[in-house]
Amino acid sequence: MSQLQGAAQLAQFEALLQPNDPTATLAAAAHAWPGAVVLSTSFSWEDQIITHLIAEANLPIGLFTLDTGRLFPETYSTWTATLEKYQLPITAYYPQADGLQSYVVANGPNAFYESVALRQQCCHIRKVEPLQRALAGKKVWVTGIRAAHSPNRNDMQQLEWDATHQVVKYHPLLHWSTEQVTDFIQQHHIPANPLHQKGFVSIGCAPCTRAVKPGEDFRAGRWWWEDASKKECGLHVHSA
């Protein structure tokens, strides 16, 4: 798709956007691009809220998750509870076996601690490449990103064109506060990862995630052994 076509698709979505009504916006997108709107979920607070909105409104939006093989047991428990509550199919995408095997044989199972390059290679195998398969042929990628998640996300818009995956990215909860998120979870009895109550703010792979200490930045619990400027895995890349 050309840059011009991408801009046209983004403009089409902008005409549908209702900034303060995510359910209405999701419904409009699902109608405009039938079968081509998907939510990526890691079973975080934010993703669980969007899943709830999709289920409550019975929206024809697909759900998928990236199972890296290194997730917390609590994440798998939340996944199971989500399936039980909402009865929605969640497609799991896994790393390609050959690539993962080659990486582990060459570098060891915990090589990501050794250098940024090896960590990024691990992220690519376990998350970035599976995401490419998950988004193939889709038009809209719905995410649970909030501006508070990372300093470099403060300037994000609710809608953006992702040139890498050739999709419009929609962040319905971008401007929600943490208090809004937790209140909504409690009010609607939404299954939530218990690690959130133990200081884990952003939950990814178990070896690469720790609880955040009082006073630390939101993102401090991810890849804590690296410089803060390197703390992205390649899933969410800003496109001009």
Side-chain angles (χ1 to χ4, degrees):
M1 184 181 295
S2 69
Q3 185 174 352
L4 188 61
Q5 289 173 313
Q9 188 169 311
L10 184 62
Q12 183 180 354
F13 199 138
E14 286 174 341
L16 304 174
L17 179 65
Q18 298 186 44
N20 299 316
D21 193 341
T23 300
T25 302
L26 289 167
H31 178 75
W33 295 283
V37 181
V38 289
L39 165 68
S40 60
T41 177
S42 63
F43 308 100
S44 66
W45 276 338
E46 295 81 9
D47 297 333
Q48 292 295 87
I49 289 174
I50 301 170
T51 296
H52 176 86
L53 298 178
I54 290 170
E56 288 296 293
N58 194 28
L59 300 178
I61 292 176
L63 280 71
F64 74 86
T65 191
L66 307 178
D67 187 349
T68 66
R70 300 297 295 265
L71 303 179
F72 285 95
E74 291 88 344
T75 301
Y76 290 110
S77 296
T78 306
W79 183 346
T80 300
T82 303
L83 291 171
E84 291 173 350
K85 180 175 177 66
Y86 297 113
Q87 300 294 305
L88 291 176
I90 300 174
T91 302
Y93 287 85
Y94 294 87
Q96 297 280 19
D98 289 347
L100 181 57
Q101 179 175 309
S102 296
Y103 174 85
V104 173
V105 169
N107 305 294
N110 291 330
F112 40 81
Y113 291 130
E114 297 175 14
S115 72
V116 172
L118 283 172
R119 198 271 296 166
Q120 291 176 337
Q121 187 179 349
C122 186
C123 285
H124 183 87
I125 292 169
R126 294 183 185 274
K127 296 194 283 187
V128 177
E129 190 280 329
L131 177 69
Q132 293 170 350
R133 284 183 274 127
L135 293 177
K138 304 305 180 185
K139 297 293 186 181
V140 178
W141 173 16
V142 184
T143 87
I145 283 178
R146 286 193 297 125
H149 282 164
S150 181
N152 64 2
R153 293 175 181 175
N154 288 331
D155 61 345
M156 290 181 69
Q157 303 297 314
Q158 274 199 302
L159 294 179
E160 55 181 347
W161 174 248
D162 185 323
T164 300
H165 300 102
Q166 296 289 289
V167 295
V168 172
K169 289 174 70 174
Y170 171 43
H171 317 300
L173 308 185
L174 182 65
H175 302 301
W176 282 37
S177 67
T178 299
E179 184 178 9
Q180 282 178 288
V181 167
T182 54
D183 286 350
F184 193 95
I185 291 280
Q186 293 171 3
Q187 179 183 353
H188 296 279
H189 308 288
I190 296 173
N193 194 323
L195 291 175
H196 283 306
Q197 301 300 332
K198 299 178 180 179
F200 287 79
V201 183
S202 177
I203 304 170
C205 293
C208 300
T209 310
R210 66 165 174 80
V212 174
K213 300 174 184 176
E216 283 189 315
D217 179 75
F218 191 108
R219 201 73 170 163
R222 301 296 296 277
W223 309 296
W224 64 91
W225 64 93
E226 295 181 359
D227 180 85
S229 65
K230 305 294 193 301
K231 292 190 177 185
E232 290 290 354
C233 62
L235 293 184
H236 298 288
V237 180
H238 285 290
S239 301

